[in-house]
Amino acid sequence: MRIVVTRALPPATLAPLTELGELWVSPHDRPLTAEELCAAVAGADAIVTMLNDRIDESVLTAAGSQLRVVANTAVGYDNLDVPAIARHGAVATNTPGVLVDATADLTMALLLDVTRRVTEGDRLVRSGEAWSWDIGFMLGAGLQQKQLGIIGMGHIGRAVAQRAAAFGMSIVYHARREHDGDTGRRVALDELLATSDVVSLHCPLTADTRHLIDASALRRMKAGSYLVNTARGPIVDENALVEALAGGVIAGAALDVYEYEPDVHPGLRTLPNAVLAPHLGSATVETRTRMAELAVENVVQTLTGGGPITPIAVPSR
Ligand code: DGY
């Protein structure tokens, strides 16, 4: 068996793969180029991918008909052409569940940062500029009795709802289906945008959600509200967001993901009311290790006949 891992994973997590056959791990400290990816996967029975590897027809053809599994080391899988993987006789897997808490924690960190201007204050202190406490100095927005609007109420959305409720926020959400329990009230997107003090994105990137937050959606958001995105960059039209932030249409945005990641819109970098993190949602030692372990388990289970642990359903077209 030949197993290809497109970027280094914690070495201990790779041990089960070495027992299966020939293991190739990319030696590069960067994503593979499309050409490098096609060359690397030739003859692979399994490919362990990262969220920045695009797995499409050309990569699958380059891999060959023996390919059995594409194991994404991420819960999001907008980088995989899942129907094409199925057509090529392989299964696609992802890493759901293991990064819920880490991503929800990071969402709250960004939410608090942008509403309380932590990074903006950090920049001020580091600049050496004179400052002193006064009653109106660098005021932000409190969260208590404010409303959080969650778009996409999967595991991460619900974990954010629990945390935000503990901070005294009320929750509304927009999702395809109703959720039982006390995780908030399901509302239409328009109501969520118009009434929420903070809007947080937790939906997958699909054809339906690409640019869901465009100029029109931003205009429909409540005056003085904030946007947090720890889901996928292209859900937000970054040009429109820069204009909305610069023009005071919304008060601020905290982003962990970018439309053209890893490139960041130059306008965002200069806006004081934008908090910018480099895709850190799942970035804890424990979570990243568990993600790697689950991706590897999916390969082992598939190649040894047990069946993948977390297969991605092939969408019906
Ligand atoms: C995921 O798993 O989709 C996350 O974006 C990784 O941080």
Side-chain angles (χ1 to χ4, degrees), residues 51 72-79 94-96 98-99 103 156 230-232 256-257 261 278-283 287-288 291:
L51 55 81
N72 212 31
T73 317
V75 66
Y77 53 85
D78 46 282
N79 58 314
N94 65 340
T95 60
V98 298
L99 47 81
T103 307
I156 297 173
T230 56
R232 282 293 182 266
D256 190 39
V257 288
E261 198 171 310
H279 206 142
L280 296 178
S282 60
T287 299
R288 288 281 169 86
M291 288 165 70

Side-chain angles (χ1 to χ4, degrees), residues 23-37:
L23 176 64
W24 183 87
V25 181
S26 170
H28 303 292
D29 188 20
R30 57 166 172 78
L32 295 174
T33 64
E35 294 72 33
E36 287 170 338
L37 187 56

